[in-house]
Structures are given as structure tokens and as C-alpha cells.
Amino acid sequence: MQSRVLIHQADFDVSEECRALASSNRCGAVAQFVGVMRDYNEGDNVVAMELEHYPGMTERSIESIIERANTRWPLLSVTVIHRVGKLLPGAQIVFVGVGAMHRHAAFAACEFIMDYLKTEAPFWKKEKKSDGSERWVDARVSDAESLGRWAE
Amino acid sequence: MQSRVLIHQADFDVSEECRALASSNRCGAVAQFVGVMRDYNEGDNVVAMELEHYPGMTERSIESIIERANTRWPLLSVTVIHRVGKLLPGAQIVFVGVGAMHRHAAFAACEFIMDYLKTEAPFWKKEKKSDGSERWVDARVSDAESLGRWAE
Amino acid sequence: MIKVLFFAKYRELLGLGQMTVELHSTTTVADLKNRLVKEGGDHWAQALLADNTLCAVNQTIAHDGDAIADGDEVAFYPPVTGG
Amino acid sequence: MIKVLFFAKYRELLGLGQMTVELHSTTTVADLKNRLVKEGGDHWAQALLADNTLCAVNQTIAHDGDAIADGDEVAFYPPVTGG
């Protein structure tokens, strides 16, 4: 399994990532997730977002999640890209792509990685509202709950 | 929900499709699947593939699958592109993309649409082997079985 | 008159993708199959009477007991293998 | 000497993202929290003693009873909200 974890401010190109994920001649299926910044949250308009992370641990925690996915499903390639720094509404925030021989492994691993990334990887979002005030986004209980279905 | 179904020989650009799927300002999640042509199947090298379909019914059956997905999950956008005609190993064959406010709806609907497309949409693959002989691909029992989990 | 379509393996087996059939009265999918096999012979039996042969009437999946009326488009094809 | 890091809301609350702490002997996560709160006061209690405060030792999730040794990197942060 080939894996790649990138944490940076720059945007990413989904076509390029898809091509790279499919580059093994055994790859028949690529499942991909892209998280996008919305322009409101919890009833307020949001005009910008600042994404903070814990350099080093972020990469380690994502690599650990990818390894756990790879022990559960036969994977050929995994790419995780997470942007940090200042982002505006409509921006792509996160990319998780998984290549596999067959689609069920690709889908399951892609969703598994997103679910664990949401609850383990040390990123924090701070929103800027239209009145200029800022607030740290609260973690969602539903994200912790969604891990339940991966219990073995 | 905005939906788009395209059946054609030309390739597609995953980045463009992703951008279009995310264009609603309520969209926070885009799940995408890309099926890729492998260079062997059932123990033989495959050098080319010819994809036949039933024009008219193909579009209808995919639109019906999308509508069923939309009654089960709150979706913002769905795009299905399926290539037909002659394809070579490594080629992208099918694209299914779903935009939604939250990721679970996007993932579930994307996989649901692929599972039903595999068993209902009238496409047929004919493989050309390296010795020049041709064969129609047989349907997989596993594809019919995978519908079981969508039973309500 | 109805239009009858054949796809993929069946199109090749029968050597044709499309034909028209004169309909004297409303019939069923099973009746149409039997009539075509009776007129056509072995290859037609292989295509139309296989356990997993699918039929669509006016581009909607249909079964042996379903009715076919004048003007309908009827298609016979093997299990699908797209995606 | 250990390195202690604070992120996000806690970094802002404490007004610092990083500090070093002299370690006289091997200690636990809970001991370190209590020591920092005792020296620092209310804000430190809010950050370090909240029910959902997370701790990582050498970039791996750690819990109150886990040991901290000289040279370790210890981080305190609120629940994560990436993705």
C-alpha cells in the first residue's frame, strides 16, 4: 500500500490525486471524499476560517489511522491532504482518497479514515463571523458517535 | 437536489465535477467514486474493452436510482458519468459524485448509487484479451448480493 | 407493431440488434418469447429462455406475466456488467 | 526538562503556545496538570482540568495515569475539529 499525507495551506487538485491513486494496474476503484467550507455554521454567517494544527502529531495520527484501515481492508493507495491556515467559504478543506481492487474496500476505508480523522487528528477550526467576531468551533458529539460502527 | 447523468465516450475531469458538486453554499461534503479499467480479469490480460449500453434506458435507470437515493438521504447534488465505446486499461470508466451538507449522507448515497448502477443500469462490457480473442464479461453474484444491505 | 431490441451477447448470438414484430392482440412477455423462439429456433431459445435473461418494456424492467401492447419497445438482454 | 505545548482555545486562554518545565523526577500527566494549575491559577484550571481536555505525550494520546519522563513533549488541547 502506498500512502501519502500532506498538511499545507495550498489547495489541491482532485483530478491529479485521483490519477495518482489509480496508478497501480491492479486498481479498479477509487473512493474520494472532499470536505468543503460552508458559509454558515450554527446559525451564523461565516466569512473566514483559520485552521490550526499540531505539526508532527497531525501526520503521525493520520498515518496511524491509514495503517488501521489497511489492516481491515486490502488497499492499494491512500492519500490524505488537509489544508491549514486561513480559508474562505467554498474552499476545499480536506481530501481523503483510497484506491483498491474493488469498490467496497475503497468506500469503507475512505469513510473509516474520515471518521477517525474527525475525532483523532489534532486540527482546530476558528471561525470569523460577519460581524468580525471569532469563535472556536465546538467538537460534534455525532462525530464521536459515528466511530461506533467501526467497532469490531 | 441538482442531478446530472451523462453517457458518452469522452473522458471526464474529476476536479471539474467535484467543483460543480460543491457549488451550493450549503455543501460541506462531496463523496466521489471513480471506476478504473484494470489490465486483467479472471486470470487473463485484457488489452481493451468495449462498453455497450441501451441508450435512453440507461439514463432512465440511473435517474431512477438517483431519485431513490435522494428519498433516503438529504442530497444537494449528484453527478453520474459513464463512458461507453472502446476503452483501454487505466481508463476512467464511471464517475459517481454526491454533494451533501454532511458526509454520512454523501458517502451512503454514493455507494448506494454505485451498487444499484452495477445491477440495474443496462451496460455490458466486452473484453479483448492479449491473444486477440474477445469475451463478454459475466455479471458478478457479489454485485447482486451487495444490494442486501440497502433493504429497508 | 412493436419494436424488439437485443443487446450485448444476445445481439451477437441472434445476429441482430433490432426487429419489428406484428402484434395481433395484447400479449405478455412470456408469449412474445415463446413466439420468437418458435419462429427462430435454438439460438433464440438460448437468448430468450435463459434463467437470467432480462426484459424491459418501454425501458422499464418487465417480467414474464407483464403485458405488451401495440407500439411498445421491448428489449431482451443478459445481466448488466457496467460500472 | 520537558516541553509543554498548548493548542487552539487553550493556547489563547493561557496566552502561550509553548513552555518548558523542569522535571525533578518521573511524574504523571495528572501530576503535571495539578502542578501547572497550582502555579498558574484559574485559567490553567479551565484549560487543563476540563472534562474533555486531551493530552498527548510524545505525540501519542495519553491519560492521567500515564508517565512523563525528562525530555518528553507534552501537549494539552481541546477536542479536535478538523476535517
Side-chain angles (χ1 to χ4, degrees), chain B:
Chain B
M1 197 247 328
Q2 283 199 310
S3 80
R4 216 157 65 97
V5 176
L6 297 170
I7 314 295
H8 54 54
Q9 173 148 31
D11 201 5
F12 48 82
D13 184 276
V14 180
S15 293
E16 266 176 43
E17 299 307 328
C18 182
R19 227 181 331 266
L21 287 162
S23 63
S24 156
N25 63 348
R26 292 189 295 152
C27 182
V30 179
Q32 299 173 112
F33 178 82
V34 176
V36 178
M37 185 183 159
R38 296 194 296 148
D39 64 1
Y40 74 95
N41 189 27
E42 315 243 335
D44 294 302
N45 290 328
V46 177
V47 296
M49 193 166 75
E50 187 77 29
L51 252 154
E52 179 171 336
H53 76 124
Y54 180 177
M57 180 162 174
T58 318
E59 291 82 348
R60 280 173 71 129
S61 73
I62 295 172
E63 279 155 13
S64 147
I65 294 166
I66 293 172
E67 266 163 44
R68 279 176 274 159
N70 192 41
T71 62
R72 294 180 70 135
W73 299 282
L75 309 180
L76 295 169
S77 53
V78 177
T79 297
V80 175
I81 305 175
H82 203 300
R83 297 178 70 187
V84 291
K86 188 179 176 188
L87 296 177
L88 299 176
Q92 303 184 128
I93 304 171
V94 60
F95 175 87
V96 174
V98 177
M101 284 179 67
H102 301 295
R103 74 185 183 284
H104 290 306
F107 271 119
C110 187
E111 196 164 9
F112 175 95
I113 292 168
M114 264 312 294
D115 278 358
Y116 278 93
L117 185 152
K118 277 269 184 188
T119 51
E120 294 187 1
F123 293 100
W124 302 274
K125 285 174 182 158
K126 189 184 201 177
E127 292 175 340
K128 187 169 189 170
K129 296 199 281 180
S130 47
D131 64 7
S133 66
E134 295 186 324
R135 68 174 170 204
W136 290 97
V137 173
D138 277 328
R140 285 172 188 272
V141 175
S142 63
D143 285 328
E145 286 171 353
S146 66
L147 297 185
R149 74 189 143 136
W150 303 113
E152 276 174 309

Side-chain angles (χ1 to χ4, degrees), chain D:
Chain D
M1 197 126 91
I2 59 170
K3 186 157 88 172
V4 184
L5 306 174
F6 306 99
F7 289 98
K9 198 162 62 177
Y10 298 165
R11 179 179 49 71
E12 288 188 349
L13 181 66
L14 303 178
L16 94 173
Q18 182 170 340
M19 66 190 288
T20 55
V21 173
E22 206 64 53
L23 212 65
H24 305 297
S25 63
T26 297
T27 184
T28 66
V29 169
D31 288 341
L32 177 64
K33 282 181 182 176
N34 290 330
R35 178 176 153 191
L36 292 173
V37 168
K38 204 169 140 196
E39 291 168 8
D42 279 358
H43 284 170
W44 294 73
Q46 277 175 52
L48 301 186
L49 302 182
D51 276 348
N52 57 8
T53 295
L54 296 168
C55 176
V57 174
N58 298 327
Q59 305 187 355
T60 300
I61 286 288
H63 301 283
D64 275 352
D66 290 332
I68 296 169
D70 198 39
D72 282 351
E73 175 178 298
V74 181
F76 293 103
Y77 53 81
V80 304
T81 56

Side-chain angles (χ1 to χ4, degrees), chain C residues 39-56:
Chain C
E39 292 168 6
D42 279 358
H43 283 172
W44 293 73
Q46 277 174 52
L48 300 186
L49 302 182
D51 276 348
N52 56 9
T53 296
L54 297 168
C55 177

Side-chain angles (χ1 to χ4, degrees), chain C:
Chain C
M1 197 126 92
I2 59 170
K3 186 158 86 174
V4 183
L5 306 174
F6 307 100
F7 289 99
K9 199 162 60 176
Y10 299 166
R11 178 179 50 69
E12 288 188 348
L13 181 66
L14 303 178
L16 94 174
Q18 184 171 337
M19 65 191 290
T20 55
V21 173
E22 206 63 54
L23 212 65
H24 306 297
S25 62
T26 296
T27 185
T28 64
V29 170
D31 289 341
L32 177 64
K33 283 181 181 176
N34 290 330
R35 178 175 154 192
L36 292 173
V37 167
K38 204 169 142 197
E39 292 168 6
D42 279 358
H43 283 172
W44 293 73
Q46 277 174 52
L48 300 186
L49 302 182
D51 276 348
N52 56 9
T53 296
L54 297 168
C55 177
V57 174
N58 298 327
Q59 305 186 355
T60 301
I61 286 288
H63 302 282
D64 275 354
D66 290 333
I68 297 171
D70 197 39
D72 281 352
E73 174 178 300
V74 181
F76 293 104
Y77 53 81
V80 303
T81 57

